Amino acid sequence: MPVQSYVNGRYVRHHGAAIHIEDRSYQFADGVYEVIAVYGGGIVDEGPHLERLFRSLGELNIAAPGSERSIKVILREVLFRNRVRDGALYLQVSRGVAVRNHAHPPDMKPAFVVTARAHPWPKDFAAVEGIAVIAIADQRWSRCDIKTVSLLPNVLARMGADTAGADDAWMIGEDGLVTEGTASNAWIVTDAGEIVTRQLSQAILAGVTRRTILEFAAARGMTITERAFTLSEAKAAREAFQTSTTALVKPVLKIDAAVIGGGAPGPVTEVVFTAYLEHFASFGGAA
Ligand code: PDD
């Protein structure tokens, strides 16, 4: 449990930290967020996460809560006050507080909250457990590229997975194509050994983990194809995995009743995991 959190310009005791009941994120989910990993005291991929935060804010025309520089200072202060060296930062910016009305007044002052929590990270692939996912209709809106706090469809999909006895769900669009996981990007390795993840569009969130993996794959001469794939292609895949800031590279061993890769994490997933962990570890040892 965090000890202190940042709320609108002040560092306050986490227990009892509060935002106003007429905050638009509470009433309209009118806000955006980021989750950023912290490894060995270093903030992992802080630049790309803040870049995406500013992009999401811009898409919704919400004012930035401060400059990139001032946000970086706040993130470090929250980590310091909570003594977090391995864990995650959560940032949420809402449009702010106003009398409830769908149309908002101009020039609103955004509300900004930052929390930090400790969380251990796996140190190698042997420590990683694979998961089972179910396929579920993607009921989200048409702007999934914005990291908005409107997460109810994602929460419902995750609840559907729980009910089905699975660990997570992969969402399927009306066209039968896999969009993404409830809080992750989806990947498969085909029989021909091709690594595939869906191309960026308004149908998926541009994952920072996804971006990092594409960057180091290119640097290592690995081929990754960015294209959409169907649920049946995923079920017939040699390997499957999902990626996110908090789950890193997670092997998917089952999709509905289809067992993937004989039910064990595969070699390509291991290579991607290990390379990602190396990237992760390069942030460790920060003062
Ligand atoms: N979610 N797609 C969705 C819908 C997500 O919510 C997330 C991350 C991702 C992966 O993005 P990244 O690699 O930048 O974490 C893809 C965060 C972790 C969350 O909601 O907790």
Side-chain angles (χ1 to χ4, degrees), residues 184-221:
S184 63
N185 290 113
W187 303 66
I188 56 168
V189 182
T190 65
D191 246 351
E194 182 191 27
I195 308 174
V196 183
T197 194
R198 190 168 171 139
Q199 75 277 15
L200 294 185
S201 71
Q202 295 185 353
I204 66 166
L205 182 77
V208 170
T209 316
R210 176 190 177 283
R211 164 175 161 164
T212 299
I213 292 170
L214 287 173
E215 278 168 10
F216 69 59
R220 281 158 201 244

Short mmCIF file of all heavy atoms in Angstrom, two decimals, residues 184-221:
data_model
loop_
_atom_site.label_atom_id
_atom_site.label_comp_id
_atom_site.label_asym_id
_atom_site.label_seq_id
_atom_site.Cartn_x
_atom_site.Cartn_y
_atom_site.Cartn_z
N SER A 184 -3.53 -5.41 -22.63
CA SER A 184 -2.26 -5.84 -23.24
C SER A 184 -2.41 -5.91 -24.75
O SER A 184 -3.53 -5.91 -25.26
CB SER A 184 -1.90 -7.24 -22.72
OG SER A 184 -2.91 -8.15 -23.12
N ASN A 185 -1.30 -5.99 -25.46
CA ASN A 185 -1.33 -6.23 -26.90
C ASN A 185 -1.13 -7.72 -27.15
O ASN A 185 -0.46 -8.41 -26.39
CB ASN A 185 -0.23 -5.42 -27.60
CG ASN A 185 -0.53 -3.93 -27.59
OD1 ASN A 185 0.17 -3.14 -26.96
ND2 ASN A 185 -1.59 -3.53 -28.27
N ALA A 186 -1.75 -8.21 -28.24
CA ALA A 186 -1.76 -9.65 -28.55
C ALA A 186 -0.77 -9.97 -29.68
O ALA A 186 -0.65 -9.21 -30.63
CB ALA A 186 -3.17 -10.06 -28.96
N TRP A 187 -0.11 -11.12 -29.54
CA TRP A 187 0.91 -11.54 -30.50
C TRP A 187 0.75 -13.03 -30.78
O TRP A 187 0.39 -13.79 -29.87
CB TRP A 187 2.32 -11.36 -29.94
CG TRP A 187 2.69 -9.99 -29.48
CD1 TRP A 187 2.15 -9.30 -28.43
CD2 TRP A 187 3.70 -9.15 -30.04
NE1 TRP A 187 2.76 -8.08 -28.30
CE2 TRP A 187 3.73 -7.95 -29.28
CE3 TRP A 187 4.60 -9.27 -31.10
CZ2 TRP A 187 4.60 -6.91 -29.54
CZ3 TRP A 187 5.48 -8.23 -31.37
CH2 TRP A 187 5.48 -7.06 -30.61
N ILE A 188 1.09 -13.45 -32.00
CA ILE A 188 1.17 -14.89 -32.28
C ILE A 188 2.46 -15.18 -33.05
O ILE A 188 3.06 -14.28 -33.64
CB ILE A 188 -0.03 -15.42 -33.11
CG1 ILE A 188 -0.19 -14.64 -34.42
CG2 ILE A 188 -1.32 -15.39 -32.29
CD1 ILE A 188 -1.17 -15.30 -35.41
N VAL A 189 2.87 -16.44 -33.01
CA VAL A 189 3.96 -16.93 -33.85
C VAL A 189 3.35 -18.00 -34.74
O VAL A 189 2.80 -18.98 -34.24
CB VAL A 189 5.11 -17.53 -33.00
CG1 VAL A 189 6.25 -17.99 -33.90
CG2 VAL A 189 5.59 -16.54 -31.95
N THR A 190 3.39 -17.77 -36.06
CA THR A 190 2.73 -18.71 -36.97
C THR A 190 3.57 -19.97 -37.15
O THR A 190 4.73 -20.02 -36.72
CB THR A 190 2.53 -18.08 -38.37
OG1 THR A 190 3.82 -17.86 -38.94
CG2 THR A 190 1.76 -16.78 -38.30
N ASP A 191 3.00 -20.94 -37.84
CA ASP A 191 3.70 -22.19 -38.12
C ASP A 191 4.98 -21.95 -38.91
O ASP A 191 5.96 -22.67 -38.76
CB ASP A 191 2.77 -23.12 -38.91
CG ASP A 191 2.44 -24.33 -38.06
OD1 ASP A 191 3.07 -24.48 -37.00
OD2 ASP A 191 1.54 -25.11 -38.46
N ALA A 192 4.95 -20.89 -39.74
CA ALA A 192 6.13 -20.56 -40.54
C ALA A 192 7.17 -19.79 -39.71
O ALA A 192 8.20 -19.37 -40.23
CB ALA A 192 5.70 -19.75 -41.75
N GLY A 193 6.87 -19.57 -38.43
CA GLY A 193 7.83 -18.88 -37.55
C GLY A 193 7.72 -17.36 -37.62
O GLY A 193 8.58 -16.64 -37.10
N GLU A 194 6.67 -16.87 -38.27
CA GLU A 194 6.49 -15.42 -38.40
C GLU A 194 5.89 -14.87 -37.09
O GLU A 194 4.91 -15.42 -36.57
CB GLU A 194 5.51 -15.22 -39.56
CG GLU A 194 5.18 -13.81 -39.92
CD GLU A 194 3.99 -13.73 -40.92
OE1 GLU A 194 3.15 -14.64 -40.93
OE2 GLU A 194 3.93 -12.72 -41.65
N ILE A 195 6.48 -13.81 -36.54
CA ILE A 195 5.93 -13.17 -35.34
C ILE A 195 4.95 -12.09 -35.83
O ILE A 195 5.32 -11.25 -36.66
CB ILE A 195 7.02 -12.51 -34.47
CG1 ILE A 195 8.15 -13.51 -34.17
CG2 ILE A 195 6.44 -11.96 -33.18
CD1 ILE A 195 9.34 -12.90 -33.43
N VAL A 196 3.73 -12.14 -35.32
CA VAL A 196 2.70 -11.23 -35.84
C VAL A 196 2.02 -10.47 -34.71
O VAL A 196 1.65 -11.05 -33.68
CB VAL A 196 1.60 -12.02 -36.60
CG1 VAL A 196 0.58 -11.07 -37.22
CG2 VAL A 196 2.20 -12.92 -37.67
N THR A 197 1.87 -9.16 -34.88
CA THR A 197 1.04 -8.36 -33.98
C THR A 197 0.28 -7.35 -34.83
O THR A 197 0.75 -6.94 -35.89
CB THR A 197 1.87 -7.69 -32.87
OG1 THR A 197 0.98 -7.20 -31.85
CG2 THR A 197 2.71 -6.53 -33.39
N ARG A 198 -0.89 -6.99 -34.37
CA ARG A 198 -1.75 -6.13 -35.20
C ARG A 198 -1.12 -4.76 -35.43
O ARG A 198 -0.48 -4.20 -34.54
CB ARG A 198 -3.11 -5.97 -34.50
CG ARG A 198 -4.14 -5.32 -35.38
CD ARG A 198 -5.51 -5.46 -34.76
NE ARG A 198 -6.45 -4.65 -35.49
CZ ARG A 198 -7.69 -5.02 -35.81
NH1 ARG A 198 -8.15 -6.18 -35.42
NH2 ARG A 198 -8.48 -4.22 -36.48
N GLN A 199 -1.31 -4.22 -36.62
CA GLN A 199 -0.78 -2.90 -36.95
C GLN A 199 -1.52 -1.82 -36.15
O GLN A 199 -2.67 -2.01 -35.77
CB GLN A 199 -0.90 -2.62 -38.48
CG GLN A 199 -2.29 -2.31 -38.98
CD GLN A 199 -3.15 -3.55 -39.26
OE1 GLN A 199 -2.84 -4.67 -38.84
NE2 GLN A 199 -4.26 -3.35 -39.96
N LEU A 200 -0.85 -0.68 -35.93
CA LEU A 200 -1.48 0.40 -35.16
C LEU A 200 -2.64 1.02 -35.95
O LEU A 200 -2.57 1.17 -37.16
CB LEU A 200 -0.46 1.49 -34.84
CG LEU A 200 0.67 1.09 -33.89
CD1 LEU A 200 1.53 2.31 -33.56
CD2 LEU A 200 0.15 0.44 -32.61
N SER A 201 -3.71 1.30 -35.23
CA SER A 201 -4.87 1.97 -35.81
C SER A 201 -5.70 2.43 -34.61
O SER A 201 -5.29 2.24 -33.46
CB SER A 201 -5.69 1.00 -36.66
OG SER A 201 -6.35 0.07 -35.82
N GLN A 202 -6.90 2.93 -34.88
CA GLN A 202 -7.76 3.34 -33.77
C GLN A 202 -8.34 2.13 -33.05
O GLN A 202 -9.00 2.27 -32.02
CB GLN A 202 -8.86 4.26 -34.29
CG GLN A 202 -8.27 5.57 -34.81
CD GLN A 202 -9.33 6.58 -35.23
OE1 GLN A 202 -10.52 6.28 -35.26
NE2 GLN A 202 -8.88 7.78 -35.54
N ALA A 203 -8.10 0.91 -33.57
CA ALA A 203 -8.68 -0.31 -32.98
C ALA A 203 -7.90 -0.83 -31.79
O ALA A 203 -8.41 -1.67 -31.03
CB ALA A 203 -8.79 -1.40 -34.04
N ILE A 204 -6.64 -0.38 -31.64
CA ILE A 204 -5.84 -0.88 -30.50
C ILE A 204 -5.04 0.26 -29.86
O ILE A 204 -4.83 1.31 -30.48
CB ILE A 204 -4.85 -2.00 -30.92
CG1 ILE A 204 -3.76 -1.48 -31.88
CG2 ILE A 204 -5.59 -3.20 -31.51
CD1 ILE A 204 -2.59 -2.43 -32.05
N LEU A 205 -4.59 -0.01 -28.64
CA LEU A 205 -3.72 0.96 -27.98
C LEU A 205 -2.28 0.72 -28.45
O LEU A 205 -1.85 -0.43 -28.55
CB LEU A 205 -3.78 0.77 -26.45
CG LEU A 205 -2.93 1.78 -25.69
CD1 LEU A 205 -3.63 3.14 -25.64
CD2 LEU A 205 -2.60 1.31 -24.30
N ALA A 206 -1.57 1.81 -28.71
CA ALA A 206 -0.16 1.68 -29.10
C ALA A 206 0.64 1.39 -27.84
O ALA A 206 1.06 2.30 -27.13
CB ALA A 206 0.31 2.97 -29.76
N GLY A 207 0.85 0.11 -27.55
CA GLY A 207 1.56 -0.29 -26.33
C GLY A 207 3.02 0.16 -26.38
O GLY A 207 3.66 0.05 -27.42
N VAL A 208 3.50 0.65 -25.25
CA VAL A 208 4.91 1.04 -25.18
C VAL A 208 5.77 -0.23 -25.20
O VAL A 208 6.84 -0.27 -25.83
CB VAL A 208 5.17 1.90 -23.93
CG1 VAL A 208 6.67 2.10 -23.70
CG2 VAL A 208 4.48 3.26 -24.07
N THR A 209 5.30 -1.30 -24.55
CA THR A 209 6.03 -2.57 -24.56
C THR A 209 6.12 -3.09 -26.00
O THR A 209 7.18 -3.54 -26.46
CB THR A 209 5.29 -3.59 -23.68
OG1 THR A 209 4.89 -2.94 -22.47
CG2 THR A 209 6.16 -4.78 -23.34
N ARG A 210 5.00 -3.02 -26.71
CA ARG A 210 4.95 -3.43 -28.12
C ARG A 210 5.98 -2.66 -28.94
O ARG A 210 6.74 -3.22 -29.71
CB ARG A 210 3.52 -3.16 -28.64
CG ARG A 210 3.27 -3.43 -30.09
CD ARG A 210 1.89 -2.89 -30.49
NE ARG A 210 1.63 -3.08 -31.90
CZ ARG A 210 2.16 -2.32 -32.86
NH1 ARG A 210 2.96 -1.31 -32.55
NH2 ARG A 210 1.89 -2.58 -34.13
N ARG A 211 6.01 -1.35 -28.73
CA ARG A 211 6.92 -0.47 -29.47
C ARG A 211 8.38 -0.84 -29.19
O ARG A 211 9.19 -0.94 -30.10
CB ARG A 211 6.62 0.97 -29.04
CG ARG A 211 7.66 2.00 -29.38
CD ARG A 211 7.14 3.37 -29.00
NE ARG A 211 8.22 4.33 -28.88
CZ ARG A 211 8.02 5.65 -28.87
NH1 ARG A 211 6.80 6.14 -28.95
NH2 ARG A 211 9.04 6.47 -28.74
N THR A 212 8.69 -1.06 -27.91
CA THR A 212 10.07 -1.43 -27.53
C THR A 212 10.47 -2.74 -28.19
O THR A 212 11.57 -2.88 -28.71
CB THR A 212 10.15 -1.55 -26.00
OG1 THR A 212 9.82 -0.29 -25.44
CG2 THR A 212 11.53 -1.96 -25.54
N ILE A 213 9.56 -3.72 -28.18
CA ILE A 213 9.87 -5.03 -28.77
C ILE A 213 10.10 -4.89 -30.28
O ILE A 213 11.05 -5.46 -30.82
CB ILE A 213 8.75 -6.05 -28.45
CG1 ILE A 213 8.76 -6.36 -26.95
CG2 ILE A 213 8.91 -7.33 -29.28
CD1 ILE A 213 7.56 -7.15 -26.46
N LEU A 214 9.28 -4.10 -30.93
CA LEU A 214 9.46 -3.90 -32.38
C LEU A 214 10.82 -3.26 -32.64
O LEU A 214 11.52 -3.62 -33.58
CB LEU A 214 8.35 -3.01 -32.95
CG LEU A 214 6.98 -3.67 -33.07
CD1 LEU A 214 5.93 -2.65 -33.50
CD2 LEU A 214 7.01 -4.82 -34.09
N GLU A 215 11.22 -2.31 -31.75
CA GLU A 215 12.51 -1.64 -31.95
C GLU A 215 13.67 -2.60 -31.81
O GLU A 215 14.56 -2.65 -32.64
CB GLU A 215 12.66 -0.48 -30.96
CG GLU A 215 11.94 0.77 -31.45
CD GLU A 215 11.82 1.86 -30.39
OE1 GLU A 215 12.46 1.74 -29.31
OE2 GLU A 215 11.06 2.82 -30.64
N PHE A 216 13.65 -3.42 -30.71
CA PHE A 216 14.83 -4.28 -30.56
C PHE A 216 14.81 -5.44 -31.53
O PHE A 216 15.85 -5.95 -31.91
CB PHE A 216 15.13 -4.67 -29.11
CG PHE A 216 14.18 -5.60 -28.43
CD1 PHE A 216 13.92 -6.87 -28.95
CD2 PHE A 216 13.60 -5.24 -27.24
CE1 PHE A 216 13.08 -7.74 -28.29
CE2 PHE A 216 12.74 -6.09 -26.59
CZ PHE A 216 12.48 -7.34 -27.11
N ALA A 217 13.62 -5.86 -31.98
CA ALA A 217 13.55 -6.93 -32.97
C ALA A 217 14.22 -6.47 -34.27
O ALA A 217 15.00 -7.20 -34.88
CB ALA A 217 12.11 -7.34 -33.22
N ALA A 218 13.91 -5.23 -34.64
CA ALA A 218 14.50 -4.69 -35.87
C ALA A 218 16.02 -4.63 -35.72
O ALA A 218 16.77 -5.01 -36.63
CB ALA A 218 13.94 -3.30 -36.16
N ALA A 219 16.48 -4.20 -34.54
CA ALA A 219 17.92 -4.09 -34.30
C ALA A 219 18.60 -5.46 -34.35
O ALA A 219 19.78 -5.57 -34.69
CB ALA A 219 18.18 -3.41 -32.96
N ARG A 220 17.88 -6.52 -34.01
CA ARG A 220 18.45 -7.87 -34.02
C ARG A 220 18.17 -8.63 -35.30
O ARG A 220 18.44 -9.83 -35.38
CB ARG A 220 17.86 -8.68 -32.87
CG ARG A 220 18.48 -8.37 -31.54
CD ARG A 220 17.52 -8.76 -30.43
NE ARG A 220 17.89 -8.03 -29.24
CZ ARG A 220 18.32 -8.59 -28.14
NH1 ARG A 220 18.38 -9.89 -28.05
NH2 ARG A 220 18.65 -7.87 -27.10
N GLY A 221 17.54 -7.99 -36.25
CA GLY A 221 17.26 -8.65 -37.52
C GLY A 221 16.14 -9.67 -37.45
O GLY A 221 15.98 -10.52 -38.33
#
